[in-house]
């Protein structure tokens, strides 16, 4: 009797497990990019799109043992025309298995999440306006640059089309309408704006897209696209840093934005749809500051799609990634695209500390707020680790010596921020000092030698005082360019025999346009806004490579 119950329970459990398992198996769809052999298309179909719809319809019917064409029709995400022969679709494992037996099926890869990599650079590259590559290529005149990114802020002055000739008739792109976006926002500079999120939505049908249009809500795309082709804008600066006329690498080139990177996520299905459309539209150059990590070339849809672009004579520039300094951290190690690393410029941003004895000392700083020119008492607080001591200080400039331990600068920074005071001076050797320079409170970062001068001054005076002037731009920094520590290193995971990255371009603290409603920094607790932002990363270096591409093109013609 007891044995029977056990046996029945066993069978019952087993059956429920199977039912549950089948349910999970049926329910769980995923996006796939499917390669098809178009020569296997039956003559009855007028084009590949209808063939794919029919294929998906029969696959769905077979795997579900029911016929409901409306379900299968919604499974197709994109039909691709150039990047591959094939399509993307949302498929259950059973449907995928069934598809593998369909006529014309070649191969498939699962959709993947894509990683988005985060006025003076021209002279620095040797591209001066009198001679050399720039005038030869007429500052990029009539070159159309397609940028795959987070969208644009079309109202930016950097997209002003004053002095631009009419859009060439070969251009087949469009300025698509959407949330807070319509075709009247494009002009002779920003000639295309399209957006791709069907893949993203297929992953989660309940998703809310916060800005369903090419409008940029993050700033990244506005910055990269104007780094490539922003027009001349006088009196641009980042809160007074890097003041001057801002302009892109190719100020006469035209921009077409393909938004495929969303606040809500980024997938290969959408990105290759963007590349596919850019090829159809007729771009000359494609700039992409994104990539897939740790994928073999033959499984990397972006590598395959860029191959199609190269075949159409489109120059493709991609970023190496920001995962350095370890080796084999690079993405986009694809042999046929240019992979760009980020270097420094001969420019730094800083502040001047003026001691009471009239000695002035320069240090790094990017504090965006306004600061008084008044003199304040200055006090040395050693490692700034005693919070009780720090909280007793009022109306003073505090000097901290970084003991050089792991995270010690970070701890000091947090202690000073919590204590709150007039300003801080950090004496540090830390290689990550750049990360702290954009401080929300007045702070200046000194090298050890200069720090020693300050400490000596404080110790040898009974009432030491100092003042600070922020918003200094220092040119002629040597040595430069230097390879940044964050830029990803080769060799490429997928193709280690090809030397990568190909070139290095300025990627550190690049000034370019920014959406005025996306916060650029913080001053104390307040968010602050600006039309131009300083960003660092291989994303910022990637578009600069365009300077070389226009040279290549002019050499060919
Ligand atoms: C397009 O949008 C702009 C700004 O939102 C608006 O001023 C303009 O009237 C719109 N144009 C059309 C044709 O809808
Ligand atoms: C989508 O939302 C509906 C209703 O809120 C919910 O029943 C369903 O489980 C959600 N689906 C997903 C995939 O989150
Ligand atoms: C986004 O806009 C497109 C085109 O205007 C529209 O077809 C689509 O349904 C919209 N999607 C969402 C999630 O609002
Ligand atoms: C700094 O001063 C300028 C000019 O007076 C002003 O426009 C700006 O808002 C100030 N910045 C902050 C963060 O208060
Ligand atoms: C911090 O300084 C106070 C004196 O102001 C002292 O009593 C305390 O022990 C110090 N704390 C540490 C952790 O050194
Ligand atoms: C910083 O570097 C200098 C020179 O290399 C060295 O003398 C000093 O001790 C270092 N300071 C710290 C806190 O590591």
């Amino acid at each position: 009797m007891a044995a029977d119950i056990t046996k029945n329970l066993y069978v019952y459990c087993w059956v429920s497990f199977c039912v549950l398992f089948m349910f999970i198996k049926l329910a769980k769809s995923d996006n796939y990019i499917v390669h098809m052999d178009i020569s296997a298309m039956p003559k009855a179909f007028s084009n590949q799109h209808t063939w794919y719809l029919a294929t998906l319809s029969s696959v769905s019917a077979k795997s579900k043992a029911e016929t409901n064409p409306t379900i299968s029709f919604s499974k197709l995400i994109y039909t691709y025309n150039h990047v591959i022969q094939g399509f993307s679709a949302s498929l259950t494992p059973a449907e995928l298995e069934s598809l593998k037996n369909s006529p014309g099926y070649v191969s498939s890869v699962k959709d993947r999440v894509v990683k988005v990599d985060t006025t003076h650079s021209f002279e620095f590259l040797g591209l001066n306006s009198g001679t050399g590559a720039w005038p030869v290529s007429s500052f990029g005149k009539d070159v159309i640059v397609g940028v795959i990114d987070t969208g644009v802020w079309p109202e930016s002055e950097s997209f002003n089309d004053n002095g631009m000739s009419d859009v060439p008739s070969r251009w087949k792109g469009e300025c698509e309408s959407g949330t807070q976006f319509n075709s009247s926002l494009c002009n002779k500079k920003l000639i295309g704006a399209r957006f791709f999120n069907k893949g993203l939505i297929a992953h989660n049908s309940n998703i809310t897209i916060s800005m369903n249009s090419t409008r940029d809500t993050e700033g990244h795309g506005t910055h990269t696209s104007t780094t490539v082709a922003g027009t001349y804008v006088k009196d641009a600066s980042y809160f007074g840093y890097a003041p001057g006329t801002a302009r892109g690498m190719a100020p006469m080139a035209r921009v077409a934005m393909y938004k495929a990177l969303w606040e809500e996520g980024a997938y290969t299905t959408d990105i290759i749809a963007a590349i596919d459309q850019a090829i159809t539209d007729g771009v000359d150059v494609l700039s992409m500051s994104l990539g897939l990590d740790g994928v073999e070339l033959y499984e990397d849809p972006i590598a395959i799609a860029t191959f199609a672009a190269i075949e159409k004579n489109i120059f493709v520039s991609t970023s190496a990634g920001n995962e350095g300094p370890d080796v084999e951290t690079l993405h986009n190690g694809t042999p046929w695209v240019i992979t760009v690393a980020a270097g420094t410029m001969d420019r730094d941003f800083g502040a001047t500390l003026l001691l009471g004895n009239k000695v002035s000392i320069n240090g790094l700083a990017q504090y965006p707020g306004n600061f008084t020119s008044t003199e304040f008492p200055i006090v040395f607080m050693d490692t700034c680790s005693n919070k009780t001591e720090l909280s007793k200080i009022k109306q003073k400039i505090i000097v901290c010596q970084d003991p050089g331990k792991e995270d010690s600068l970070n701890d000091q920074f947090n202690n000073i921020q919590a204590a709150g005071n007039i300003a801080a001076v950090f004496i540090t050797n830390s290689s990550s000092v750049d990360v702290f320079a954009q401080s929300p409170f007045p702070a200046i970062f000194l090298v050890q030698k200069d720090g020693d001068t300050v400490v000596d001054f404080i110790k040898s005076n009974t009432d030491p005082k100092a003042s600070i002037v922020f918003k200094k731009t220092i040119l002629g920094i040597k040595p430069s360019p230097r390879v940044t520590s964050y830029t990803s290193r080769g060799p490429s995971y997928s193709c280690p025999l090809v030397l990568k990255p190909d070139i290095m371009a300025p990627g550190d603290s690049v000034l370019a346009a920014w959406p005025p409603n996306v916060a650029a920094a913080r001053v104390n607790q307040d968010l602050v806004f600006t039309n131009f932002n300083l960003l660092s990363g291989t994303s910022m270096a990637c578009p600069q490579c365009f300077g070389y591409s226009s040279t290549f093109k002019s050499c060919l013609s």
Side-chain angles (χ1 to χ4, degrees):
M1 182 69 185
D4 268 2
I5 289 171
T6 313
K7 193 178 161 205
N8 283 343
L9 270 177
Y10 178 77
V11 168
Y12 176 76
C13 283
W14 195 82
V15 167
S16 340
F17 175 75
C18 277
V19 167
L20 188 69
F21 184 68
M22 279 169 65
F23 178 74
I24 290 168
K25 234 179 128 132
L26 278 178
K28 201 173 168 297
S29 293
D30 229 315
N31 290 359
Y32 292 87
I33 296 166
V34 183
H35 290 241
M36 299 289 282
D37 176 5
I38 206 154
S39 68
M41 182 171 86
K43 294 229 161 43
F45 294 103
S46 56
N47 60 48
Q48 54 167 341
H49 183 68
T50 51
W51 178 38
Y52 300 151
L53 285 175
T55 303
L56 283 171
S57 170
S58 87
V59 153
S60 179
K62 265 187 223 142
S63 68
K64 288 218 179 71
E66 61 167 274
T67 312
N68 187 348
T70 55
I71 291 171
S72 59
F73 272 59
S74 67
K75 291 194 158 296
L76 185 78
I77 303 169
Y78 294 106
T79 292
Y80 301 113
N81 293 305
H82 303 287
V83 291
I84 57 165
Q85 286 183 355
F87 59 90
S88 50
S90 172
L91 301 168
T92 64
E95 287 166 339
L96 180 66
E97 284 315 308
S98 170
L99 177 66
K100 286 178 180 171
N101 298 319
S102 300
Y105 172 89
V106 178
S107 66
S108 57
V109 291
K110 215 186 221 180
D111 199 4
R112 284 172 181 273
V113 175
V114 172
K115 185 177 255 160
V116 184
D117 298 326
T118 117
T119 45
H120 170 70
S121 59
F122 320 101
E123 288 119 275
F124 184 59
L125 274 178
L127 298 178
N128 84 45
S129 51
T131 53
W134 263 33
V136 173
S137 56
S138 304
F139 305 94
K141 191 164 182 290
D142 270 349
V143 172
I144 300 171
V145 187
V147 182
I148 299 182
D149 215 301
T150 62
V152 284
W153 189 263
E155 293 87 355
S156 168
E157 263 304 294
S158 294
F159 291 119
N160 190 317
D161 67 352
N162 279 345
M164 303 268 316
S165 56
D166 287 344
V167 178
S169 55
R170 66 187 169 92
W171 177 242
K172 298 195 209 61
E174 252 181 58
C175 194
E176 290 176 352
S177 294
T179 313
Q180 293 176 37
F181 211 103
N182 64 39
S183 61
S184 61
L185 294 172
C186 285
N187 59 17
K188 295 173 190 169
K189 160 64 77 180
L190 178 65
I191 64 171
R194 296 188 187 265
F195 57 105
F196 303 83
N197 57 22
K198 287 188 195 147
L200 172 65
I201 290 165
H203 275 282
N204 179 3
S205 50
N206 282 359
I207 203 164
T208 309
I209 304 285
S210 63
M211 182 68 72
N212 189 29
S213 73
T214 316
R215 185 171 290 280
D216 188 4
T217 55
E218 295 174 86
H220 192 273
T222 302
H223 197 278
T224 56
S225 57
T226 55
T227 299
V228 192
T231 192
Y232 301 85
V233 182
K234 282 194 190 140
D235 301 324
S237 83
Y238 170 76
F239 301 106
Y241 294 95
T245 299
R247 63 185 179 189
M249 281 302 298
M252 297 308 282
R254 305 178 201 269
V255 175
M257 175 56 70
Y258 297 84
K259 178 173 173 181
L261 310 180
W262 300 82
E263 273 185 76
E264 295 81 11
Y267 286 95
T268 50
T269 40
D270 290 325
I271 284 158
I272 68 169
I275 299 173
D276 201 71
Q277 188 63 54
I279 295 172
T280 303
D281 291 349
V283 304
D284 301 306
V285 177
L286 257 185
S287 176
M288 302 193 296
S289 301
L290 52 94
L292 289 174
D293 285 331
V295 187
E296 299 292 350
L297 273 186
Y298 56 85
E299 289 200 326
D300 182 343
I302 297 176
I304 295 165
T306 52
F307 190 80
I310 296 289
E311 279 188 314
K312 298 269 183 338
N313 277 325
I314 296 170
F315 179 94
V316 183
S317 166
T318 64
S319 51
N322 301 326
E323 309 301 320
D326 292 341
V327 296
E328 215 179 0
T329 45
L330 161 145
H331 55 208
N332 297 313
T334 315
W336 45 87
V337 306
I338 298 290
T339 312
V340 188
T344 63
M345 289 182 233
D346 66 337
R347 177 178 75 177
D348 258 336
F349 302 110
T352 302
L353 179 68
L354 193 64
L355 301 177
N357 61 2
K358 302 276 183 270
V359 170
S360 81
I361 291 170
N362 290 327
L364 291 181
Q366 270 182 45
Y367 171 62
N370 297 323
F371 193 75
T372 166
S373 58
T374 319
E375 264 200 337
F376 293 97
I378 183 167
V379 56
F380 181 54
M381 292 302 291
D382 236 318
T383 58
C384 293
S385 50
N386 191 325
K387 292 183 200 168
T388 323
E389 288 281 280
L390 286 176
S391 67
K392 287 183 195 152
I393 301 169
K394 301 281 177 260
Q395 295 294 303
K396 288 195 170 81
I397 298 172
I398 300 178
V399 181
C400 305
Q401 169 70 54
D402 178 5
K405 298 203 189 78
E406 203 187 341
D407 290 336
S408 55
L409 180 59
N410 190 50
D411 295 343
Q412 291 187 333
F413 193 86
N414 290 336
N415 290 348
I416 292 287
Q417 186 164 12
N421 230 294
I422 293 293
V425 177
F426 295 97
I427 306 167
T428 180
N429 283 350
S430 169
S431 59
S432 57
V433 61
D434 288 2
V435 180
F436 298 96
Q438 229 173 57
S439 57
F441 57 90
I444 168 169
F445 299 80
L446 303 183
V447 296
Q448 191 66 50
K449 178 172 71 68
D450 292 336
D452 291 344
T453 308
V454 175
V455 175
D456 286 348
F457 165 75
I458 293 170
K459 286 185 175 161
S460 61
N461 279 276
T462 46
D463 184 22
K465 287 195 168 138
S467 60
I468 307 180
V469 183
F470 284 93
K471 310 198 173 179
K472 296 268 179 175
T473 301
I474 307 148
L475 305 179
I477 300 292
K478 284 176 183 153
S480 60
R482 278 175 291 117
V483 176
T484 60
S485 84
Y486 57 77
T487 197
S488 291
R489 273 38 171 202
S492 149
Y493 171 86
S494 53
C495 196
L497 296 179
V498 176
L499 199 61
K500 289 276 174 177
D502 300 282
I503 60 168
M504 183 173 84
D508 226 29
S509 296
V510 174
L511 185 78
W514 193 252
N517 65 351
V518 176
R522 222 156 36 82
V523 171
N524 299 317
Q525 302 308 319
D526 301 329
L527 299 174
V528 289
F529 301 86
T530 171
N531 292 328
F532 288 88
N533 200 356
L534 284 176
L535 299 186
S536 298
T538 51
S539 287
M540 281 65 239
C542 170
Q544 309 242 10
C545 160
F546 178 73
Y548 301 86
S549 83
S550 53
T551 310
F552 291 159
K553 297 231 169 218
S554 65
C555 290
L556 292 173
S557 60

